[in-house]
Amino acid sequence: RKRYTSRILVVFRLPREEDTWLTVTSEGTTIRHCAYWHIIPQGDDATDNSSSLTIKIPVVQVFDPTALVELMTRVVEGEVL
């Protein structure tokens, strides 16, 4: 069975005020605002541009606990992402 290596990119949208980005307490860690995920399939990194790459991520791809579980389930089940 052939294995593929895809990458999951998570992009965080953070508030302008750096001191509000992250809160860590004994109750948990909170990252303010939101995050989005995007799968970069194997071989999709070919570009002639050596300094930057634009990736469009649909706003419906919110990285939340449900998305994390779904993505990890797909990985465990061997699905090609």
Side-chain angles (χ1 to χ4, degrees):
R1 184 170 158 188
K2 192 171 183 177
R3 308 266 300 148
Y4 294 90
T5 304
S6 296
R7 290 160 288 183
I8 300 171
L9 172 69
V10 178
V11 177
F12 288 89
R13 181 174 167 221
L14 299 168
R16 290 191 185 276
E17 306 80 26
E18 288 184 36
D19 60 333
T20 65
W21 289 358
L22 182 69
T23 304
V24 180
T25 67
S26 59
E27 298 286 319
T29 302
T30 302
I31 301 173
R32 289 220 30 240
H33 220 303
C34 59
Y36 303 94
W37 62 271
H38 179 73
I39 295 172
I40 303 172
Q42 181 181 15
D44 257 16
D45 53 0
T47 180
D48 293 332
N49 187 345
S50 62
S51 62
S52 67
L53 179 66
T54 300
I55 297 174
K56 295 183 181 184
I57 304 175
V59 294
V60 297
Q61 290 181 194
V62 175
F63 188 72
D64 59 12
T66 302
L68 176 60
V69 169
E70 289 175 2
L71 287 166
M72 293 301 102
T73 299
R74 291 168 64 182
V75 168
V76 168
E77 292 176 352
E79 182 178 333
V80 176
L81 302 178

